[in-house]
Amino acid sequence: AGRRNDVRALIERHAVHAFSEMKEVLGEGATGKRMGTRVWPGTSSLFFSVVADDKKEELLGALRACAPDLYPGEGLRAFVLPVEEAI
């Protein structure tokens, strides 16, 4: 929960008031497999938010600044996708 709390605090510090969080996400990536089993222990977390372009750059910069504080084998990724419409 430590890193999830860190990411949640970062989002709040940058005045993003709308986001979704998914806990215990399973998957495989550059830092290895996270399947929640004895063979592949651990899980990941996933955050979603839709923000304006200027806020996007602000958040990406803040997330990049976190990278040096990660432990070996720990990952932090951010993906930017265009939102064509929202209701």
Side-chain angles (χ1 to χ4, degrees), residues 53-70:
D53 284 343
D54 59 334
K55 185 62 71 174
K56 172 194 75 167
E57 294 303 326
E58 179 183 327
L59 283 174
L60 287 174
L63 290 167
R64 283 185 190 104
C66 294
D69 296 331
L70 297 176

Side-chain angles (χ1 to χ4, degrees), residues 24-77:
E24 299 185 23
V25 176
L26 306 178
E28 179 177 356
T31 58
K33 291 184 181 186
R34 304 285 189 267
M35 298 296 186
T37 66
R38 268 194 230 173
V39 175
W40 304 108
T43 59
S44 295
S45 296
L46 184 62
F47 290 83
F48 290 96
S49 187
V50 176
V51 298
D53 284 343
D54 59 334
K55 185 62 71 174
K56 172 194 75 167
E57 294 303 326
E58 179 183 327
L59 283 174
L60 287 174
L63 290 167
R64 283 185 190 104
C66 294
D69 296 331
L70 297 176
Y71 298 118
E74 192 174 32
L76 175 66
R77 304 289 184 263

